[in-house]
Amino acid sequence: MSGLELINFYVIPGLISGSIYALGAIGITLIFGILRYAHFAHGDMATLGAYVALGLVGSLALSPWVALPIAMAITALVAVVLDRVFYRHLETRPKILTVMASLGVALMLRSVVQVVWGVDPQVYSTGIVRAESYGGLMLRSRELITFATATGLVLFLMAFLRYTRWGKAMRAMSDNPELARLCGVNNEAVTRLTWVIAGALAAAAGFFLGINTELNTMMGWSALLAMFAAAILGGVGRVEGAVVGGLVIGLVEELSVLVLPSQYKMATAFVILILILLVRPQGIFKGKVL
Amino acid sequence: MNPVLVMHQVRGGYGDADILHGVSLTVNPKEIVVIVGPNGAGKSTAMKAVFGLVKIRDGAILFEGEEITGWKPDAIVRRGISYVPQVKNVFAEMTVHENLEMGAFLAKSVKAEAFERIYTLFPDLKAKRNALAGSLSGGQRQMVAMGRALMLNPRLLLLDEPTAGLSPKYMEQIFQICRDVRDTGVAILLVEQHAKQALAFCDRGYVLATGSNRHEGAGQELLNDPEIAQMFLGG
């Protein structure tokens, strides 16, 4: 196998699914870092985002790329409402209750998607898109847009966290919640902001998963393990860690096919998760130890 | 001269149990007041009561003549009191400069002078402004914590055992910084474990035991009292 084949058939798909995992993992890592619990409904939130975009494409005949930002906004709103209705009143109880509640929310979101859109796989647009050659690199335009948009979203989020008043408040809350409150940071506002970001990015992850493959109601749930593995590999609470973790998991999954039967592709994320917990539980970027 | 802070017969604690059984104290402008006493005397609790972190069941707390009993911490910060907890008092994963910015979070926009004022008070921090607070030594972290608390120009600074775990050299430095801060017009109320050194450096002191006032007076006066020397200071 030539180097170009390796890149075209394994590395590029790996980077694409890696960017998708990264978008999901960022939300997981932010929720873990700031609200201190594992959010198991994150995958199904991505599914919801993907289907909301599908609904916009179908009913308003929008281009999928126009539907994306609207779906992100709607899913962000849904995330804020879910927090208000299902998670907030558990705030003072042990975190495991919220984790279990999120499992329930996951099932609920999936059922809503199944009731509204049915259980058959769907696509944003029919027809075959041929890859174009860029000096031997075979790329589809949707793959380029996926990668560029994911990169743009990550850079935007990092700049937000680093330079803005509320971005710093989010980091402060993740770093030392008691002291953040003493500084007058409003816990509720930071929680809401966290859900807006996590919900919007989850919708983007679901959308890109759908546009690069197909939409089905289990898509988010199936990607959840890889997203958690990415967040933990990178270091819990670290946005840059979630990105690196996502790309690593995506690449390893694709490359594993070279040496393992392809049925084991999904299991590689699990293996990485166990290895990182054994060897370096704080993750690549020294996140919080769970 | 009107006192900055008056605590009058405060009774309260966490949950249902009372830790404070009628504590009274006064802090006057430009004064460093220290609270000492044996373990479990309610020193830190008395200070936290001022900052709205304790359930107060009886008594009153007045700041510049206004009653602030039962106020929430962020309202108290806005009113002009800042508090430095004993532990976990910096944002370890943020830079020194960002720690100061967080201190001024309630101000929405921060003037460059505010940072300059803090960096003048703590020249060590200026060189380290882009270092992560978690990478600093214990003494420097304490400076970051105090600097953060001073960003909003409080009239009263509450310090909970600022010298805990520090070497004698740093202890002296922190005390000197307290004097410098006091000289800029900020009154300071602090809790200290190192009773002798603290009484020697403060303007006035209160000795608490089992949640109530035991002695009060000028620092040197208390140090010379044989009863106090024997009770709390180990002779």
Side-chain angles (χ1 to χ4, degrees), chain A residues 39-59:
Chain A
H39 185 232
F40 283 146
H42 215 70
D44 291 284
M45 209 177 250
T47 309
L48 178 75
Y51 275 88
V52 167
L54 181 74
L56 292 165
V57 169
S59 61

Side-chain angles (χ1 to χ4, degrees), chain A residues 80-136:
Chain A
V80 171
V81 172
L82 286 175
D83 172 57
R84 265 200 116 96
V85 178
F86 295 104
Y87 304 145
R88 185 185 286 179
H89 62 281
L90 297 170
E91 207 174 35
T92 54
R93 312 282 299 276
K95 293 298 178 205
I96 188 70
L97 294 183
T98 317
V99 176
M100 290 300 121
S102 78
L103 206 53
V105 169
L107 295 170
M108 201 182 66
L109 282 176
R110 198 182 317 156
S111 304
V112 168
V113 169
Q114 288 169 341
V115 167
V116 176
W117 285 281
V119 291
D120 296 326
Q122 304 196 49
V123 290
Y124 288 114
S125 55
T126 49
I128 294 169
V129 183
R130 278 182 159 280
E132 280 175 63
S133 175
Y134 295 83

